[in-house]
Amino acid sequence: GENVEQHPSTLSVQEGDSAVIKCTYSDSASNYFPWYKQELGKGPQLIIDIRSNVGEKKDQRIAVTLNKTAKHFSLHITETQPEDSAVYFCAATSSSGYSTLTFGKGTMLLVSP
Amino acid sequence: KAGVTQTPRYLIKTRGQQVTLSCSPISGHRSVSWYQQTPGQGLQFLFEYFSETQRNKGNFPGRFSGRQFSNSRSEMNVSTLELGDSALYLCASSLAVDSGNTIYFGEGSWLTVV
């Protein structure tokens, strides 16, 4: 089945710096790659997603890039703010054809003022 | 538009009991999935329902079951609870079941088994 590796597990940055989180996946048939932000005590919130026919997508301070050949995708957050502090999860769809997601282990991002 | 709604938010059960969790998907969404989140195993897929039929199932024992109603609302049940079932149970919904649909999560139901 699908396997998703996520790095780093923790990331500390100063406010205003950029943060990059990287994920690799194993199933070349995967075609949908969402990113979720999870704050303490809450459910995962979708922040951005990308489909396999697109190489990059941006939404204000957040961007995601996808390299299908290397089977990796990355989340880029620019001009980080303290409220960006949370756990971020990458995910990929399985080859089953269903919308089942396989998640990475998560990255705890801490933005210090 | 309302998001994915899960009830109850918090509950405590005793080993051996059973529990039922409820999920109302986003209006118009017909696919509902359930995930278990624990510190050790992370987010793991339980099962997915579409049009009242289970379409996909994760690697969990038969004590975990679910169903979907004609209005797309879903319930999951865990019987003969074990301490290891303590987790955050998340419901997610999407328009359809095929890969590539945007998936939204609810706030989850926190289950503690004592």
Side-chain angles (χ1 to χ4, degrees):
Chain A
E2 175 72 279
N3 184 50
V4 177
E5 300 279 343
Q6 182 172 348
H7 300 280
S9 56
T10 59
L11 180 58
S12 294
V13 300
Q14 293 290 319
E15 183 177 0
D17 288 349
S18 294
V20 180
I21 302 171
K22 299 182 179 182
C23 288
T24 60
Y25 60 98
S26 61
D27 188 347
S28 56
S30 291
N31 64 347
Y32 176 61
F33 308 91
W35 286 88
Y36 292 90
K37 173 185 180 182
Q38 188 174 27
E39 297 175 324
L40 198 60
K42 297 189 174 183
Q45 175 194 1
L46 178 70
I47 56 171
I48 196 166
D49 57 8
I50 191 167
R51 289 170 175 79
S52 58
N53 58 347
V54 176
E56 182 176 1
K57 183 176 178 180
K58 290 185 71 173
D59 183 4
Q60 300 182 39
R61 298 185 296 109
I62 295 173
V64 57
T65 58
L66 172 65
N67 183 325
K68 286 189 295 181
T69 303
K71 290 190 283 188
H72 69 70
F73 56 113
S74 300
L75 177 71
H76 304 254
I77 306 174
T78 59
E79 300 172 24
T80 54
Q81 301 166 3
E83 51 266 38
D84 293 330
S85 296
V87 179
Y88 291 80
F89 291 95
C90 64
T93 53
S94 72
S95 59
S96 65
Y98 300 112
S99 55
T100 304
L101 293 170
T102 300
F103 284 88
K105 291 294 188 183
T107 296
M108 182 175 291
L109 174 64
L110 177 62
V111 181
S112 303
Chain B
K1 161 159 116 167
V4 179
T5 304
Q6 292 187 244
T7 57
R9 288 295 320 279
Y10 306 93
L11 64 166
I12 300 174
K13 291 287 188 178
T14 304
R15 273 182 301 174
Q17 288 186 314
Q18 72 165 5
V19 65
T20 299
L21 308 177
S22 180
C23 172
S24 293
I26 293 171
S27 178
H29 284 194
R30 297 174 60 196
S31 174
V32 174
S33 300
W34 289 89
Y35 290 80
Q36 182 196 63
Q37 185 175 26
T38 59
Q41 298 300 318
L43 283 145
Q44 293 186 290
F45 170 73
L46 281 157
F47 26 65
E48 178 172 17
Y49 288 87
F50 181 78
S51 293
E52 302 177 65
T53 302
Q54 186 180 94
R55 302 290 178 157
N56 200 11
K57 188 178 189 303
N59 188 26
F60 279 82
R63 300 185 297 107
F64 292 81
S65 63
R67 58 177 176 168
Q68 185 180 35
F69 303 97
S70 58
N71 62 359
S72 295
R73 194 177 66 84
S74 177
E75 289 181 347
M76 68 162 282
N77 183 276
V78 187
S79 62
T80 319
L81 284 165
E82 300 176 0
L83 295 178
D85 297 333
S86 295
L88 176 64
Y89 289 89
L90 292 160
C91 173
S93 79
S94 61
L95 278 171
V97 73
D98 49 303
S99 178
N101 277 278
T102 305
I103 300 169
Y104 300 93
F105 283 83
E107 297 288 14
S109 291
W110 288 92
L111 171 65
T112 300
V113 182
V114 297

